[in-house]
Amino acid sequence: MDNNNYQSPPPYQYTPYGYPHVPPPPPNQPNPGPNSATYPGPAPPGSVPYPYPQYSHYPPPPFYNTSGSGPLNYPYPGPLPPSAPPPTTGPLEYSYYPASHSTPISHQFHGYPPPPPTSNPPQSTLQSYGSFHYGSSHYLQHQNSGPLQPPDNQSNVPPRVSGEYSSHYHYQDSSSSMSGPTGNYDHINDGSTTRPPVYPSIDDLMDNVHLSDSHVKPSAPASPPTPSASLPSSPPKYHSGPLPMTTKYNGMGTMYGHPNSSFSRWETSSTGQMEQPSVPASSHSTSHAETSHAHNMQLMTAPSPKVSLKVLLLHGNLDIWVYEARNLPNMDMFHKTIGDMFNNRKITSDPYVSITVTGATIGRTYVISNNENPVWTQHFNLPVAHYAAEVHFVVKDNDVVGSQLIGIVTVPVEHLFGGEKIEGFFPILNTSGKPCKAGAVLYISIKYTPIEHLSIYHHGIGAGPDYRGVPGTYFPLRRGGKVTLYQDAHVPDGCLPILKLENGMQYVHGKCWHDIFDAIRQARRLIYITGWSVWHQVRLVRDDNSVSSGTLGELLRSKSQEGVRVLLLVWDDPTSGSILGYKTDGVMQTHDEETRRFFKHSSVQVLLCPRVAGKRHSWVKQREVGVIYTHHQKTVIVDADAGNNRRRITAFLGGLDLCNGRYDTPQHHIFRTLQTWHVDDYHNPTYAGNVTGCPREPWHDLHCRIDGPAAYDVLTNFEERWMKAAKPHGIKKLKMSYDDALLRLERIPDVLGLSDAPCVGDDDPQSWHVQVFRSIDSNSVRNFPKDPKEATMGNLVCGKNVLIDMSIHTAYVEAIRAAQHFIYIENQYFIGSSYNWSSYKDVGANNLIPIELALKIANKIRAHERFAAYIVIPMWPEGNPTGAATQRILFWQHKTMQMMYETIYKALMEVGLEDAYSPQDYLNFYCLGNREALDAGYPSERQSAANTPQGLSQKNRRFMIYVHSKGMIVDDEYVILGSANINQRSMEGTRDTEIAMGAYQPHHTWARKQSSPYGQIYGYRMSLWAEHLGVLDDCFTRPDSLECVRRVRQMGEANWKQFASDEISEMRGHLLKYPVEVDRYGKVRPLPGYETFPDVGGNIVGSFLAIQENLTI
């Protein structure tokens, strides 16, 4: 059928992009440092917008071993010994100055800085930081108490935002919701009566504090003081805020301005003294005997009927020790009674402590079974970016199904802003504000360090030869590697412009699937593949007639016949399978059963790996994990030639699965390759029904290849996962050996191990430092320690009945905090920091990435420095854009955008720049789309009804380019790539399993160059921008500049108009401004006239429909 809206198109010419001259890197002249940049003035009145090329005038684009089962023995490397520095033949020179107000924080190789040294350091283990809500509800709900107001200036670190925060609580047993502006919380109407306030005012509390003149603070928390007083049986009300034990006293021997005197008594508001029966000794009192430093404990009353606490911004790190609890109540009285009937075994509470801020759980201890006096001695260094009035320590009893609240300890945030460490025994209060049991106390310490005082973030990433990588991670930084960066599955020759780098180098555009094909073909010992989906019929090479056009399955089967060990670890979709002979493809159509059947009678071993929860999880949790969550890692690991008849390990990882629908090029054709490259590889899940003549779904992705020591960490990940998945169950346990599939490399003499892996010297400008990160838990990997105390030494996070590696989230937060100039993100999703949304605060999308990015921009605005963030996401999540799940994802995405823009606008108001600049001068969201004019002589195949999504897409010849990327570039010096999306599923570690890498070139950093680096990462970003925009501009070399931000936004807006227009025209640039309107006040609304997506429908800002929340966040 003819296209009535199209008139006489010119013939489609197969000519390359007509790129303008690519600007070479400017001379390496010293640029002002990040803290000395002058803030640009407002645009002059009447200034002319930047000219934008008329894309319709551009020429169209061209067609364009032996068996074994043990992992490598290096999961927990320690710091490098002083006697064994990393190999180098020439020292790198770094010229930067430390911040004048702080000193660098020293830390171990991949652990967090230890707490301040004391005379008796605690005998404990390190806990890597976590930041997620493992429970399902808030523990406390706060009363609405009015708008935020500026705080009083009474601390060394001025708070950003504050407000009145009521401590008048309502409690409920089930999940609760919160809404309203930041810092204000709705009441929960659960039918309960209003209870009196729990907390008195801080001034009133401190009036009752008396410290002994002879008081000596204990120097070692390893032997915490024994409280000599317990709670009376029926006090009026108690305050569980910090008892007056800090590490900072003034010259007069006072604390918080109150003279020190004896802790001999405590007072009610008006009735005088009360007796203090002693706290019963704990069962482990022999290890915590009283010494001369033993403290007395004082509890404080609530003299006033109501008190308000300030909501302040906690942005930095919380250094926390959770030592022990004493005299906890027995929450298992029923089981205790049954146990007493049959045996004398004690059955009591199984306590653990969760640390929460604004309803989001940021850390938790491990569970100690059957103990009313548990000792954890567990350390946390937790990143925080929360507006809060209190930090909560929630003591709970672990039950077979769920958990039971024992009590809560709270520390007001304003007490932390002085910089002191608050330490001591705290009474554990129940929901009525009374002690959960007489004498029940929790011994903790907490210290807050604001972001301004963390000097490790002041000089960018890789700042100096002593940089040890992202701290608190499972795998350490590996030096002397090599990284190849890929965009899309394939980049044809001449498709993208030549980019010049430093030292006369040129950026080489990698051919991802071609390189994977070559690596598999050249393997001699092993080929290990993990995937969310692996399809045996996919063809990796499609434009090279010199290469056999065989399928992946044929290639792998051929290599296995040569004696190569070929192992596939593929997610087992629970909805696929065979029922009574009827084969089902599964909801996600991953081809898992189809691929398994193809290799069934070959030596290729396919292990379909379901996503399972642990045995100790509840039945409901097991069903949720098994049905909703997936194994999402995408890796290919092979042996490669190392010279001298030796073999080494190389690894590919990123966002590309080896399955249908992924093969694409930077041209992202939607119609022109349907009869060539994609004739047997059509993929577009947007449509239901007949898809004849419909556009394919173009696919944009990021991937990489790692050579060197870090490749062995990717191998270790595979081995740990394989051993867990291959572990026999039921009758299969009777076999003596169950896993002879994994090669034991130490028994193969020609394969180099980690210690012998070839490294590039530090004097080589092309050297890379690489670190591998994961989101995964102990239910999916083997060799995590059994003892939680040992797990914390490996920088694993404790969840309920599970150990978690969540280092991908750690890496993102560290990179954003260290950014100095700009951040460029491409990701399939962008959802998070829900605790700071204006509503739906308790949805559980608590990852820190969006709020950290917004606060980075806000801090730069306050410092009068430039900073820019570019975020590229899909136009809509894959699938039907009108569906309930898709609409809810878009709704959460809109809430995330709104929160970020509002944060930026508030910062502009604080410095009086709200009229000179808009939030979009710092942060912009984009998507990708394509439109193809009908070629002369090319018949139209429109066969669908005119008003259906299929018919409209064929008529208007347009479709989005699906952004499946999972990557971030920081300051052109650091890159993160992997399989992890920016949402709770990918970041939490207990949901989807993920893998990623972070890398930089030490010769190409801001700290080394004192100017913009022009290494491979710079070339990678410029190549991506050339693909997305179709042109290169001089300002692209300065992505943080206001000129570049406005230029790219202007181009994106013009591209959107071309994409949405009724007139069909060939699109050269694919980057579209995301179709929402952001006003000068940071309010995000639907773009007028474009409230729904063109052709396919669906609200662009989403809608709230009641479906399973954990599926969409």
Side-chain angles (χ1 to χ4, degrees), residues 265-338:
R265 61 189 179 88
W266 67 279
E267 300 176 0
T268 63
S269 59
S270 60
T271 60
Q273 299 184 3
M274 298 184 69
E275 295 181 1
Q276 304 178 50
S278 60
V279 175
S282 67
S283 60
H284 53 273
S285 59
T286 55
S287 62
H288 296 280
E290 291 190 30
T291 67
S292 60
H293 301 307
H295 289 19
N296 294 327
M297 183 179 68
Q298 177 173 356
L299 300 177
M300 292 160 283
T301 60
S304 60
K306 187 169 182 178
V307 65
S308 295
L309 298 176
K310 291 180 179 178
V311 173
L312 305 175
L313 173 61
L314 281 175
H315 188 206
N317 286 355
L318 288 178
D319 190 284
I320 293 174
W321 284 89
V322 178
Y323 295 114
E324 65 167 321
R326 297 192 181 180
N327 208 29
L328 296 180
N330 186 351
M331 307 300 289
D332 298 328
M333 292 302 296
F334 174 77
H335 297 92
K336 177 181 184 300
T337 302
I338 298 297

Side-chain angles (χ1 to χ4, degrees), residues 253-266:
T254 63
M255 188 275 298
Y256 292 129
H258 295 269
N260 292 351
S261 58
S262 116
F263 255 43
S264 60
R265 61 189 179 88
W266 67 279

Side-chain angles (χ1 to χ4, degrees), residues 544-566:
D544 189 346
N545 295 329
S546 64
V547 176
S548 171
S549 59
T551 65
L552 174 65
E554 294 168 349
L555 175 63
L556 294 178
R557 194 156 55 183
S558 172
K559 295 303 296 185
S560 69
Q561 292 171 354
E562 297 175 7
V564 179
R565 187 63 53 88
V566 182

Side-chain angles (χ1 to χ4, degrees), residues 189-210:
N189 185 8
D190 57 2
S192 60
T193 58
T194 303
R195 298 183 176 91
V198 177
Y199 303 114
S201 68
I202 293 176
D203 293 337
D204 292 337
L205 293 176
M206 301 318 299
D207 288 339
N208 294 329
V209 174
H210 304 285

Side-chain angles (χ1 to χ4, degrees), residues 428-550:
I428 303 173
L429 307 185
N430 60 24
T431 57
S432 300
K434 298 180 180 180
C436 62
K437 179 183 177 181
V441 292
L442 180 69
Y443 183 47
I444 58 172
S445 73
I446 179 170
K447 185 178 187 297
Y448 169 61
T449 304
I451 193 77
E452 295 87 351
H453 294 172
L454 295 171
S455 61
I456 56 174
Y457 302 133
H458 293 173
H459 309 290
I461 299 174
D466 296 328
Y467 178 70
R468 300 296 184 185
V470 177
T473 59
Y474 188 85
F475 294 113
L477 181 72
R478 304 291 189 186
R479 300 171 182 271
K482 180 183 177 182
V483 174
T484 304
L485 302 171
Y486 302 107
Q487 60 195 93
D488 303 312
H490 185 62
V491 178
D493 293 335
C495 171
L496 294 173
I498 296 174
L499 294 166
K500 295 183 178 181
L501 311 178
E502 288 182 351
N503 304 319
M505 301 287 292
Q506 286 186 353
Y507 181 77
V508 177
H509 305 284
K511 301 180 179 182
C512 183
W513 275 17
H514 201 295
D515 288 356
I516 291 176
F517 175 83
D518 286 341
I520 292 175
R521 191 171 56 171
Q522 296 168 14
R524 297 292 179 266
R525 291 291 187 179
L526 62 88
I527 301 169
Y528 295 166
I529 298 175
T530 65
W532 176 83
S533 172
V534 177
W535 192 35
H536 68 281
Q537 293 187 10
V538 72
R539 291 183 296 115
L540 298 180
V541 180
R542 308 189 187 185
D543 67 342
D544 189 346
N545 295 329
S546 64
V547 176
S548 171
S549 59

